[in-house]
Amino acid sequence: MKRSYLYLLMAAITCGQALAADLALSPWAPALDAQAVAFLPNGSERLAASSRDGLLLLDAKGAELARFKGHFSSLDSRAAGPQVLVASLDDDRQQALLVSLDPQRRQWGQPLYLPARDFPVNGLCLYRDEASNLFLFLVGEEGKGEQWLVGAGAQLNATAQRVRGVPLPPAAQFCQVDDGANRLLVNEENVGWWAYPAHPEAQVERQPVALRVPFGDIDKAAGAMALVPGGVLALDPKAARLHLYQQDEHQQPTQGWSAKATLALPGLKEPEGLAVRASGNGLQVLLRDDDDGRLYQGQLDWQAAPVPLAPVLPNVPALAQSEPVGRQGDAADDPAIWIHPRQPALSRVLGTNKKQGLLAYDLQGKLLQELLVGRLNNVDVRPNFRLGTQVVDLAVASNRDRNSLSLFSIDRASGELREAGEIPTPLKEIYGICLFQPASGELYAFANGKDGSFLQYRLRAPDGRVQGELVRQFKVDSQPEGCVADDQRQRLFLGEEDVGVWAVDARADQPAALSSVIKVGPQLHADVEGLALYQSEAHDYLVISSQGNDSYVVLDAEPPFASRGAFRVGLNAAAGIDGASETDGLEVTSANLGGPWSRGLLVVQDGRKRMPEQTQNFKFVPWSDVAGALKLP
């Protein structure tokens, strides 16, 4: 690039204004027949996918170093230690494949083929998440897209696993993933470029990067893209122009992008492929002109300031999961753990289905019982409740059909649940519930409504019929849901979804003075949902569902409620269990339930069931793994 162009381009980037300039290009490897090209992740070599010559490893001058025979199109790669993992489309088999490449030995490995799809695949791109899981996105015709799990760390898996379908634009052909930002970029030829969350547990949504005139600055078409530090270089093939876009470091991922420069491509009639690599002198650019089939290279003297990334939270995989619930949509909500008094391995996980009723699972996630009693939202459990002449364990759930408390007795020998009565409430929209059982043995239920009201009931059943006596009521300013009582310290923790977590005296004869535990902010993201207490002889922790960023925050359960960190429930590739996201309720116990649950069990609701895509369920996580990830004593 001429110095005048460099100066003007840098000035445009500095002041945030788009500016047209030219990018000087020269022919590169003129005899090479390549549908797609890419720079090797590490080193000076390049990769090419050719419908005539196969997959090629090339030196900086275009000389062939190694060949994987076949007929290929589309190309992406990721470093894997000293090797490179290469993804492409096999035109003969009409299947996507991955194959390892050893650049030093100039050897290709054995390919891993994805199953043939029932739609034409136009393009593909790789993505490595913060836990080093490797995924492949397929971009198909008529808006069909898919995400597949294909590897972990530096290794390809023995088989590929479909994670989820991704609805994409109907005219998409190209994609790229920014691993650090967990962002998938896809083109829509006649509309523009779009950004999607790439993480498999993320909600499916899109934001425009840039659009065609009159809504944006794209003259004619949105084509191939290449990631650059802090942004993306995107090709308008019909106008023979490159556009440089950046996202301001102060903007959120859902906010717009800024156009930084527009570069003309003189001499190119039908530019198609695009590859970019950052170098010490700026950006190296490779382009293919479909008019003459030749490759061209150029140098863009541009340096970007590094964009700060969100902190990476540790991932803790689930070891088991429940069978999916029997209703579609937002159905599963809140779990509770019933501990068998003599045989802990026979303990059960209860879960609400707010379109169905109460469900009971064993510790492997098998459904044992379902009680179709209505739209239950939250549930909690306490032992040793006197039901007439019997002593049972009791589960209580908020029933949204009747704005009531639904009660269930649990047989202490078999774990079988039975309906045990109902307590009406004056709440107009009942929501959350939790139980409180002080040392005196009395049992209380806290129920809340969407208007912020909390009602405290004393539960008794002297003649075998459960009765609820309203003993206290108080209110928070906005919508609550999750709550949990510390029976030992007689303290109630409650979540106000958009505000944070509060503590209040749980005793019925005490004032309901709220004190802040943690506010919504950098660590805790609204909505604040499930709350649970891990209580052991050594330490007590409060676990909070931070739904806004699909994570779980752990605090000391005593003032000053110091933070112990946050984590996510990530994908378990070996067990074929997806991660957890959009979690509503959760529960935890420190009881030794045997096997992997010897230090306790954490159960979280999963709002987006992947791999395969099914109705919602609950994920079971060993507490020992949480403690290890957060270095808890």
Side-chain angles (χ1 to χ4, degrees), residues 363-375:
L363 296 184
Q364 290 72 49
K366 180 181 179 182
L367 181 64
L368 301 175
Q369 201 176 353
E370 53 185 345
L371 292 85
L372 309 181
V373 296
R375 295 186 301 140

Side-chain angles (χ1 to χ4, degrees), residues 161-428:
Q161 294 176 273
R162 186 182 185 274
V163 176
R164 60 168 176 156
V166 184
L168 296 177
Q173 289 182 296
F174 305 99
C175 67
Q176 288 279 287
V177 180
D178 183 337
D179 295 347
N182 296 293
R183 184 185 296 122
L184 168 69
L185 301 175
V186 180
N187 81 310
E188 185 174 8
E189 182 180 2
N190 297 318
V191 178
W193 293 285
W194 300 95
Y196 294 75
H199 198 281
E201 293 297 333
Q203 182 176 346
V204 177
E205 59 185 8
R206 67 177 184 174
Q207 298 294 329
V209 175
L211 300 174
R212 279 187 62 192
V213 292
F215 305 105
D217 61 341
I218 309 171
D219 290 330
K220 295 183 179 180
M225 302 149 292
L227 296 173
V228 300
V232 60
L233 200 61
L235 174 65
D236 180 345
K238 294 183 180 179
R241 289 185 180 276
L242 286 172
H243 295 269
L244 177 65
Y245 300 102
Q246 277 189 294
Q247 194 167 32
D248 187 88
E249 61 181 277
H250 301 295
Q251 291 179 322
Q252 297 298 317
T254 56
Q255 295 177 335
W257 294 61
S258 299
K260 295 299 182 181
T262 299
L263 305 173
L265 302 172
L268 270 61
K269 295 182 180 180
E270 297 181 42
E272 287 293 340
L274 174 64
V276 175
R277 177 172 61 185
S279 67
N281 299 321
L283 300 174
Q284 291 179 279
V285 180
L286 279 176
L287 283 159
R288 178 179 181 271
D289 191 351
D290 200 45
D291 179 65
D292 59 14
R294 301 175 74 179
L295 291 167
Y296 293 83
Q297 65 179 349
Q299 181 76 24
L300 181 59
D301 296 324
W302 178 72
Q303 299 286 345
V307 177
L309 300 174
V312 175
L313 299 180
N315 275 254
V316 181
L319 199 60
Q321 62 180 336
S322 73
E323 295 179 22
V325 300
R327 296 293 186 273
Q328 297 288 337
D330 185 19
D333 195 279
D334 187 48
I337 301 172
W338 173 74
I339 299 172
H340 195 289
R342 291 181 296 278
Q343 295 177 278
L346 298 181
S347 299
R348 295 189 177 186
V349 173
L350 311 184
T352 59
N353 180 339
K354 53 196 174 192
K355 298 184 179 183
Q356 182 180 22
L358 187 63
L359 311 171
Y361 306 92
D362 65 18
L363 296 184
Q364 290 72 49
K366 180 181 179 182
L367 181 64
L368 301 175
Q369 201 176 353
E370 53 185 345
L371 292 85
L372 309 181
V373 296
R375 295 186 301 140
L376 301 187
N377 201 69
N378 284 19
V379 63
D380 203 359
V381 173
R382 285 297 188 277
N384 299 316
F385 180 75
R386 187 165 292 279
L387 185 64
T389 60
Q390 293 180 299
V391 175
V392 299
D393 294 344
L394 193 70
V396 182
S398 50
N399 191 318
R400 296 172 72 175
D401 279 340
R402 296 181 288 277
N403 286 312
S404 62
L405 306 181
S406 292
L407 290 84
F408 306 87
S409 64
I410 306 174
D411 187 282
R412 290 173 60 80
S414 66
E416 182 180 2
L417 288 97
R418 293 192 180 121
E419 293 184 61
E422 189 171 14
I423 297 172
T425 80
L427 294 170
K428 294 182 179 179

Side-chain angles (χ1 to χ4, degrees), residues 28-246:
W28 180 78
L32 185 64
D33 173 62
Q35 276 62 53
V37 290
F39 289 98
L40 211 65
N42 298 317
S44 60
E45 297 90 346
R46 291 99 190 271
L47 295 167
S50 169
S51 60
R52 183 190 69 191
D53 301 322
L55 292 176
L56 303 173
L57 174 65
L58 308 168
D59 67 14
K61 296 182 179 180
E64 180 181 325
L65 302 176
R67 178 186 300 212
F68 186 85
K69 294 181 179 180
H71 307 96
F72 299 97
S73 59
S74 196
L75 190 63
D76 201 4
S77 63
R78 286 295 185 277
Q83 296 191 333
V84 176
L85 300 178
V86 180
S88 188
L89 292 173
D90 187 320
D91 295 338
D92 294 330
R93 297 176 54 157
Q94 295 188 327
Q95 287 176 255
L97 85 157
L98 292 106
V99 60
S100 62
L101 168 66
D102 187 331
Q104 291 185 342
R105 297 183 179 180
R106 302 177 182 178
Q107 292 179 347
W108 296 89
Q110 291 297 315
L112 167 67
Y113 278 91
L114 272 65
R117 313 313 303 140
D118 59 358
F119 59 87
V121 178
N122 294 329
L124 50 75
C125 52
L126 288 165
Y127 161 52
R128 179 175 279 130
D129 70 7
E130 67 273 11
S132 294
N133 294 302
L134 187 67
F135 301 90
L136 184 67
F137 283 98
L138 301 182
V139 176
E141 290 187 359
E142 298 180 349
K144 295 179 180 178
E146 292 181 338
Q147 184 174 10
W148 287 73
L149 175 66
V150 295
Q155 300 296 320
L156 292 175
N157 294 339
T159 58
Q161 294 176 273
R162 186 182 185 274
V163 176
R164 60 168 176 156
V166 184
L168 296 177
Q173 289 182 296
F174 305 99
C175 67
Q176 288 279 287
V177 180
D178 183 337
D179 295 347
N182 296 293
R183 184 185 296 122
L184 168 69
L185 301 175
V186 180
N187 81 310
E188 185 174 8
E189 182 180 2
N190 297 318
V191 178
W193 293 285
W194 300 95
Y196 294 75
H199 198 281
E201 293 297 333
Q203 182 176 346
V204 177
E205 59 185 8
R206 67 177 184 174
Q207 298 294 329
V209 175
L211 300 174
R212 279 187 62 192
V213 292
F215 305 105
D217 61 341
I218 309 171
D219 290 330
K220 295 183 179 180
M225 302 149 292
L227 296 173
V228 300
V232 60
L233 200 61
L235 174 65
D236 180 345
K238 294 183 180 179
R241 289 185 180 276
L242 286 172
H243 295 269
L244 177 65
Y245 300 102
Q246 277 189 294

